[in-house]
Amino acid sequence: MKNSILMKSGIPLIIVLVAFIAATVMIKSRKPPEQVPVEIPAFLVEAKEATAEAVSFIVKSQGNVVPRNKTALSAQVSGQVVSLSDVFIAGGTFKKGDVLATLEQDDYRTDLKLAEAELAQAQAALQEEIARGKVAEQEWRSVSSVAPPELGLRKPQLAKEQANVKAAEAKLERAKRNLARTQITAPYNGIVVERNIDLGQFVSMGAVLGTVYSTDTAEVRLPITDSDLMFINIAGQSNDGAPVSLTASVGGVKRTWEGKLVRSEGILDTGSRVVYAIVEVQDPYNLKSSHNAPLRFGQFVEAEITSRQNEELVVLPRSILRLDNTVLTVNDNREIEIKPVEVARTTAKEVFIRSGIEHGSLVVRSAVPNPYNGMKVRLPGDEPVLSDAAESDASEDTDKVESTSTEGDSE
């Protein structure tokens, strides 16, 4: 009875002891698992070689078209308006020398005749005085061998008559001018903007008869900011005439005209801090068929000024330039290098770099999160390599495996 109880209570203990011994033997005899490091390839970036190219900047501005000459025609004499030219009406075009209006001329013709008569009388009196002087000289020499005095030769009287002739000639010239001034002539080729007189109206001297604009040359006054002045150099281009492209919408169609930058006003506006440049356009009303469409005064146009300063610059997309004026490049070891650059100019799409990047350098054109100098990267087509973080993780895993194997052996 006692043996059966011992047998029943001892069997489980034996089983547990055997299981423990077997587990111990298995643990001591096992080999550590092979550790394979996780390969994390270096960050893939897109990079292209930077090349310098000759850049000619384009400066954009805008302004209104105005005439080079605008004149308020005034009467230099008074009189009644007796005739008006058909072109002397708002919108009419005329040529230099055309008679636009004529004032009554009768009184001025009369003044001209009186001036001519006075001149004839003065000239006759002069000839008479010359003859008297010759007679007086002959009489004096017949009675005396002494040199005759000035008064004896009637020289003062001769000078007086000569002065009278000059005065008569001046009156005649003025009478001719006044008669010519009764015809209001065009000072240049132009267009009539406003007419202030009509037939039968009496105008006084100095009255404004109308306003005309010159159509030979139009001007566009363009504001240029201080940051753009260095790219167009107005003072250096005023003699050469930098090309300017003007665009505007006419009747729903975009039109283009070519002009030249001829000068600047030379004064910096204290309010807006800009300098105004003057662009000239020849034959704006297309009277000589110089353009595809007329460029009318008052038209608002957009201008593009082409600089003639060609400079070797590196042109990159605007997104590549970082906020601190640095650019990411890749060296021969496939490592990131952060280079500060000198920016010549930036636009909405491009950045122009003057220095800081060498010709042929690989410039990163894709986004790189948290870049730093020496960061491992790879380019499309490169063999995958471990990044710094991956190599560090691999070394840590190896250390852990070796440590676990040592502990197992010690047990």
Side-chain angles (χ1 to χ4, degrees):
M1 187 72 177
K2 291 182 178 179
N3 292 333
S4 62
I5 294 174
L6 290 175
M7 289 290 292
K8 290 181 181 179
S9 60
I11 291 174
L13 294 175
I14 294 172
I15 294 173
V16 172
L17 180 62
V18 171
F20 178 77
I21 294 172
T24 302
V25 172
M26 292 177 64
I27 290 174
K28 290 185 177 181
S29 63
R30 74 180 180 87
K31 294 181 179 180
E34 183 180 358
Q35 298 292 329
V36 178
V38 179
E39 293 187 358
I40 302 176
F43 192 81
L44 178 65
V45 297
E46 179 185 357
K48 291 185 179 180
E49 289 188 0
T51 57
E53 58 185 82
V55 177
S56 179
F57 290 111
I58 294 179
V59 176
K60 295 184 178 181
S61 186
Q62 55 193 11
N64 291 317
V65 181
V66 297
R68 182 177 183 179
N69 299 306
K70 46 186 176 181
T71 305
L73 297 176
S74 300
Q76 293 181 282
V77 294
S78 59
Q80 187 181 24
V81 180
V82 295
S83 68
L84 293 172
S85 173
D86 293 338
V87 299
F88 193 37
I89 190 171
T93 58
F94 52 84
K95 295 182 179 180
K96 182 178 181 179
D98 287 351
V99 178
L100 303 179
T102 303
L103 305 181
E104 186 179 10
Q105 298 178 337
D106 294 342
D107 291 341
Y108 298 101
R109 289 197 181 98
T110 301
D111 292 341
L112 177 60
K113 290 179 180 180
L114 289 174
E116 289 174 346
E118 290 183 5
L119 177 59
Q121 290 177 355
Q123 289 175 341
L126 176 60
Q127 294 300 324
E128 182 179 354
E129 189 58 42
I130 292 175
R132 287 180 180 179
K134 291 181 179 179
V135 172
E137 182 179 3
Q138 292 175 358
E139 291 179 349
W140 180 272
R141 293 186 182 279
S142 63
V143 297
S144 176
S145 59
V146 181
E150 296 289 331
L151 185 59
L153 296 179
R154 299 183 63 86
K155 287 189 177 181
Q157 292 85 342
L158 178 61
K160 178 182 177 182
E161 296 302 332
Q162 289 174 339
N164 290 337
V165 171
K166 290 182 179 179
E169 289 175 347
K171 288 183 180 180
L172 178 61
E173 292 175 358
R174 182 169 60 186
K176 289 180 178 179
R177 286 197 301 269
N178 288 339
L179 179 60
R181 287 168 179 171
T182 58
Q183 291 186 328
I184 312 303
T185 58
Y188 40 67
N189 300 330
I191 184 172
V192 179
V193 179
E194 183 182 12
R195 192 185 75 184
N196 301 331
I197 59 173
D198 213 332
L199 286 173
Q201 181 178 346
F202 181 86
V203 296
S204 59
M205 185 183 300
V208 177
L209 309 180
T211 304
V212 295
Y213 288 171
S214 170
T215 56
D216 289 334
T217 304
E219 292 185 347
V220 183
R221 189 167 177 256
L222 301 176
I224 306 298
T225 61
D226 183 67
S227 59
D228 287 335
L229 284 177
M230 63 182 297
F231 303 119
I232 60 176
N233 189 15
I234 297 176
Q237 293 181 343
S238 59
N239 295 329
D240 298 335
V244 180
S245 177
L246 305 175
T247 58
S249 178
V250 179
V253 180
K254 187 176 182 180
R255 302 289 186 180
T256 303
W257 300 267
E258 295 300 324
K260 289 185 178 181
L261 180 65
V262 293
R263 70 182 188 279
S264 72
E265 294 184 353
I267 300 175
L268 186 66
D269 188 272
T270 56
S272 58
R273 310 305 299 172
V274 297
V275 172
Y276 285 93
I278 305 301
V279 175
E280 285 189 354
V281 180
Q282 301 298 325
D283 189 27
Y285 274 73
N286 206 26
L287 301 178
K288 301 177 183 178
S289 301
S290 305
H291 312 285
N292 294 329
L295 179 62
R296 294 181 174 87
F297 299 136
Q299 176 75 54
F300 180 81
V301 295
E302 296 181 353
E304 292 185 353
I305 306 173
T306 303
S307 171
R308 292 187 173 179
Q309 296 178 342
N310 290 332
E311 187 175 358
E312 293 290 329
L313 301 175
V314 176
V315 184
L316 299 174
R318 178 65 179 84
S319 58
I320 292 180
L321 183 67
R322 307 174 74 204
L323 296 178
D324 57 350
N325 278 1
T326 58
V327 172
L328 301 181
T329 62
V330 179
N331 60 21
D332 295 337
N333 297 326
R334 295 296 190 262
E335 295 175 344
I336 290 290
E337 288 187 1
I338 303 177
K339 293 188 176 182
V341 296
E342 180 185 357
V343 178
R345 192 186 185 200
T346 58
T347 64
K349 296 181 178 181
E350 295 177 321
V351 57
F352 301 87
I353 297 176
R354 181 174 286 115
S355 63
I357 298 180
E358 298 179 357
H359 180 79
S361 298
L362 289 176
V363 178
V364 177
R365 299 200 172 210
S366 58
V368 180
N370 303 321
Y372 55 89
N373 283 314
M375 176 181 177
K376 290 287 186 179
V377 294
R378 61 189 176 93
L379 302 179
D382 289 351
E383 292 292 334
V385 296
L386 292 179
S387 65
D388 295 341
E391 292 177 354
S392 176
D393 292 343
S395 61
E396 291 178 0
D397 291 342
T398 304
D399 294 342
K400 290 181 179 179
V401 171
E402 293 177 353
S403 175
T404 303
S405 300
T406 304
E407 292 176 357
D409 295 338
S410 63
E411 291 177 355

